Amino acid sequence: MADTVMHPHRPPHPVLRTDLSPEGRGARGLDLASAPPLPGGRGRRAARGEGAFRRSPRLNLPNLATYALLILGAGIMLLPFAWMLSTSLKTRGATFVTPPQWIPDPVTFDNYGKVFDSAPVGQFLFNSLFVSLTSTALMVLFCAMSGYAFARIEFRGRTVLFYAYLATLMIPQQVTLTPLFIIMNWLGWTNTYQALILPSSFGAFGTFLLRQFFLRLPREIEEAAFIDGAGYIRIFFTIAIHLARPALATLAVFAFMASWNSFLWPLIITTDTSMMTLPLGLSALQGRWTTDWNVLMAGTVIATVPIIAVYVFAQRFIIKGLSHTGLK
């Protein structure tokens, strides 16, 4: 049996016992009961297994007030969507009934058929999907490349160039519409897909978002790849791009929503009905003198469903991506 070695200035260590009996010869263990208690008695509580589980927070008055405010805010935000869905299922005469009816009576789905009869909504849907998906893919690629370059590649003037590019966020979109239209018209790209896609294929916000993510990657990963003979391009496409999937998914959702909901630029650059996107095409459902609001709300529901589907699919990546980039 090995006893504790005493020192005049050190507390005694736990007794290391060796069982020399035939049943447990060679088995060793620490006698936690003989260990000196830590300040506040934490040693003995840990030895007994106390405090292993964290207590759940109590629902005190401040927490209940916070939850109540959050639920109230969520309800206020959902009211327009509930009214939109309710109106899309009403008949024309029940739209402006007083008091308002939240539950349609009777419920009709004819408004959705009238949407497709009033305008080429199928073509509008195809244009919006094609433009949004293509511009989102290009946005993610270009912003990932530029963000990685600003974060990991050392070159002269990198910081000045990054902040100059970031300063473009302060320029309103309306200021750039006229010169952008002149360029597109000079190239002969009016009423074309490239005019709808290219202006929304890059942005300073996406570069900033991904730069913040790449700055958090450990240098040891790149150093190990450099030792194996990989360069920056190979590291980016084989290592960095896979580690940045949460941030890429976050940027993809933001870019898809911005492109899908874009109205002003398609209104300026397109005059042909076959090139209109869905938000621009839905504006044709609003007449000069009268408007069938139930039909218009049905078209709005159709335009909202893809956005909700994309967000529901990528919400876990959004939370993870924003937490890794340091944004709140």
Side-chain angles (χ1 to χ4, degrees):
M1 179 182 300
D3 296 330
T4 304
V5 179
M6 302 298 296
H7 193 276
H9 300 291
R10 296 180 182 176
H13 299 287
V15 177
L16 179 63
R17 303 183 183 276
T18 304
D19 189 1
L20 298 179
S21 61
E23 294 79 12
R25 184 178 288 110
R28 297 184 178 183
L30 292 176
D31 188 1
L32 296 177
S34 63
L38 296 176
R42 290 178 308 213
R44 297 191 182 278
R45 286 199 303 267
R48 291 193 301 265
E50 298 180 4
F53 299 96
R54 184 178 299 177
R55 293 180 179 179
S56 59
R58 296 179 179 178
L59 292 177
N60 50 24
L61 185 59
N63 289 338
L64 290 176
T66 302
Y67 294 148
L69 288 176
L70 291 175
I71 293 174
L72 179 62
I76 294 174
M77 294 294 293
L78 291 175
L79 278 178
F81 296 97
W83 181 254
M84 174 185 67
L85 180 61
S86 175
T87 306
S88 69
L89 299 175
K90 295 178 180 178
T91 59
R92 184 175 183 178
T95 303
F96 295 104
V97 173
T98 304
Q101 293 180 353
W102 286 94
I103 300 177
D105 186 20
V107 176
T108 177
F109 292 92
D110 295 338
N111 298 324
Y112 292 91
K114 293 179 181 179
V115 171
F116 289 90
D117 296 335
S118 303
V121 178
Q123 183 66 34
F124 298 157
L125 275 172
F126 173 80
N127 293 339
S128 291
L129 284 174
F130 179 74
V131 171
S132 299
L133 292 176
T134 307
S135 62
T136 299
L138 294 177
M139 170 75 81
V140 170
L141 177 62
F142 293 154
C143 290
M145 295 173 68
S146 58
Y148 180 79
F150 281 124
R152 315 300 279 184
I153 302 177
E154 299 285 346
F155 58 90
R156 182 176 298 179
R158 180 183 67 172
T159 303
V160 176
L161 182 60
F162 173 72
Y163 284 112
Y165 185 44
L166 198 62
T168 59
L169 290 173
M170 297 184 293
I171 302 176
Q173 181 189 10
Q174 292 78 6
V175 176
T176 62
L177 287 178
T178 300
L180 188 59
F181 176 79
I182 294 174
I183 294 174
M184 294 299 170
N185 190 33
W186 178 72
L187 293 173
W189 285 0
T190 55
N191 290 316
T192 60
Y193 285 118
Q194 53 265 33
L196 294 170
I197 293 172
L198 290 181
S200 58
S201 297
F202 47 85
F205 173 76
T207 301
F208 170 75
L209 182 72
L210 293 178
R211 174 184 177 270
Q212 297 304 112
F213 185 90
F214 288 128
L215 284 174
R216 299 171 63 93
L217 295 182
R219 290 282 182 180
E220 291 78 6
I221 298 177
E222 288 183 345
E223 293 173 356
F226 286 142
I227 293 175
D228 292 337
Y232 282 113
I233 297 178
R234 184 177 178 184
I235 292 174
F236 172 75
F237 284 104
T238 58
I239 299 176
I241 203 74
H242 296 284
L243 297 177
R245 282 181 295 180
L248 295 177
T250 304
L251 177 60
V253 172
F254 290 158
F256 183 85
M257 291 177 61
S259 180
W260 182 269
N261 295 324
S262 180
F263 178 81
L264 186 57
W265 175 244
L267 177 64
I268 294 175
I269 201 63
T270 59
T271 57
D272 190 356
T273 305
S274 62
M275 294 302 303
M276 290 183 178
T277 57
L278 188 58
L280 188 59
L282 289 179
S283 63
L285 297 178
Q286 186 173 2
R288 174 179 293 184
W289 310 112
T290 59
T291 301
D292 291 335
W293 293 104
N294 49 349
V295 178
L296 182 59
M297 290 299 103
T300 308
V301 171
I302 296 173
T304 307
V305 168
I307 294 293
I308 298 176
V310 169
Y311 183 80
V312 170
F313 173 76
Q315 61 177 341
R316 61 189 183 94
F317 296 105
I318 295 176
I319 298 173
K320 188 176 181 181
L322 291 179
S323 62
H324 284 187
T325 54
L327 298 179
K328 294 183 179 180

